[in-house]
Amino acid sequence: MMGAVNSELEDLFHDKKRVRNPLVPIGAFMTAGVLTAGLISFRQGNSRLGQKLMRARVVVQGATVALMVGTAYYYGENF
């Protein structure tokens, strides 16, 4: 049963290319790294640094989402 579903999906999306942006995984890892560093700072009692890192996380995460949306928009007509 699962094989039939997979083959149907492959037939449906056969003509579509998957576009990969190498910057998106880098942005995701940077977001995770800044988040981890911020949580460690909070845990150690350094709330000022933790707040700065959380703000940096928001900026990095926003840039990553913008890359994803921009890539989808740019290559959207080529699908």
Side-chain angles (χ1 to χ4, degrees):
M1 171 106 176
M2 191 66 157
V5 172
N6 285 340
S7 66
E8 289 176 12
L9 286 175
E10 287 176 12
D11 291 341
L12 181 64
F13 294 112
H14 185 274
D15 295 333
K16 292 189 175 194
K17 286 184 176 179
R18 179 178 290 175
V19 177
R20 294 184 184 244
N21 188 339
L23 298 177
V24 171
I26 293 170
F29 283 120
M30 287 178 62
T31 301
V34 173
L35 174 65
T36 302
L39 292 174
I40 290 170
S41 293
F42 279 126
R43 182 144 190 158
Q44 291 176 347
N46 192 350
S47 60
R48 179 170 277 178
L49 178 61
Q51 281 295 329
K52 287 182 181 181
L53 287 168
M54 288 299 133
R55 290 181 187 131
R57 177 198 54 87
V58 170
V59 171
V60 173
Q61 189 173 0
T64 303
V65 170
L67 278 171
M68 291 168 48
V69 170
T71 301
Y73 179 75
Y74 181 76
Y75 290 107
E77 294 178 4
N78 295 336
F79 291 127

